[in-house]
Amino acid sequence: MAIKARKLSNEGKSIDEIGAILNETRLKYNQIATCETLKYLKMAGRVTAASAFFGNLFGVKPILISDAIGHNFASKKIKGRMTAIKEVAKMTAESMEDIENSILFIGHVVDPEGAELLKNEILKLCTPKEIRIGLIGPIVGGSVGPGTVSAYFYGAEVTANAEVK
């Protein structure tokens, strides 16, 4: 969104016009991720101790997305790390719009190899204009843990809503 705001500013749009455009398109900014272990989600209170124990025991990797009201939740549960990375790549390729002109951001928590795996899986499915890889910061990273990889991009409107308890 910051890149879009800068582009609009460079085009001469006012702060109010930029705000209106970003507000109108806010649900088209997608986030899809997977994490290596459920340990950190348990510590952050996102999953129960039993779910984390059995999920880790059976190699379950959640596919995490942000919903239409900003809640993060597991939209799918996949068995195995590589299968989860391939699912993030597939969901990304299916949801991106104007791929040839898009910038895709891949984030990771101290896992540059995982970020490269995700990048390579995405490139098998589509070719964005640009791919940037960077670290996920310590606040979010501490909640999902090392081995987390994510894709951030402009695409299909987010319509999912997590059930808030």
Side-chain angles (χ1 to χ4, degrees), residues 46 64-75 158-165:
R46 300 287 184 170
L64 306 166
I65 66 168
S66 290
D67 73 4
I69 55 175
H71 293 113
N72 296 322
F73 73 102
S75 66
V158 176
T159 58
N161 280 306
E163 182 178 42
V164 180
K165 297 177 183 173

Side-chain angles (χ1 to χ4, degrees), residues 34-47:
T34 189
C35 55
E36 177 64 22
T37 177
L38 300 174
K39 171 185 174 182
Y40 298 92
L41 291 172
K42 178 188 75 117
M43 290 176 13
R46 300 287 184 170
V47 299

Side-chain angles (χ1 to χ4, degrees), residues 6-161:
R6 183 186 72 213
K7 182 180 177 201
L8 293 169
S9 177
N10 290 343
E11 292 172 0
K13 303 277 189 218
S14 73
I15 191 76
D16 291 332
E17 290 172 313
I18 293 169
I21 291 168
L22 293 179
N23 188 47
E24 183 179 305
T25 60
R26 73 187 183 283
L27 294 179
K28 294 182 75 78
Y29 291 91
N30 290 253
Q31 167 186 291
I32 305 171
T34 189
C35 55
E36 177 64 22
T37 177
L38 300 174
K39 171 185 174 182
Y40 298 92
L41 291 172
K42 178 188 75 117
M43 290 176 13
R46 300 287 184 170
V47 299
T48 65
S51 293
F53 176 78
F54 288 108
N56 285 331
L57 183 67
F58 294 112
V60 172
K61 310 297 179 201
I63 303 298
L64 306 166
I65 66 168
S66 290
D67 73 4
I69 55 175
H71 293 113
N72 296 322
F73 73 102
S75 66
K76 298 179 182 181
K77 295 172 186 169
I78 305 292
K79 188 165 171 135
R81 173 147 168 93
M82 198 60 213
T83 307
I85 288 173
K86 287 180 179 183
E87 182 64 20
V88 171
K90 177 180 168 258
M91 291 172 67
T92 298
E94 288 173 351
S95 298
M96 285 183 79
E97 291 183 355
D98 192 19
I99 294 170
E100 298 79 22
N101 295 309
S102 292
I103 299 173
L104 170 66
F105 296 90
I106 295 176
H108 66 90
V109 180
V110 292
D111 188 12
E113 295 86 9
E116 283 296 323
L117 280 172
L118 178 57
K119 174 185 171 182
N120 291 334
E121 290 301 318
I122 290 169
L123 287 172
K124 290 177 185 177
L125 303 171
C126 65
T127 309
K129 176 182 176 183
E130 183 178 351
I131 298 177
R132 297 180 187 178
I133 297 177
L135 289 168
I136 295 173
I139 303 298
V140 173
S143 297
V144 290
T148 298
V149 292
S150 60
Y152 306 93
F153 57 92
Y154 186 83
E157 186 169 315
V158 176
T159 58
N161 280 306

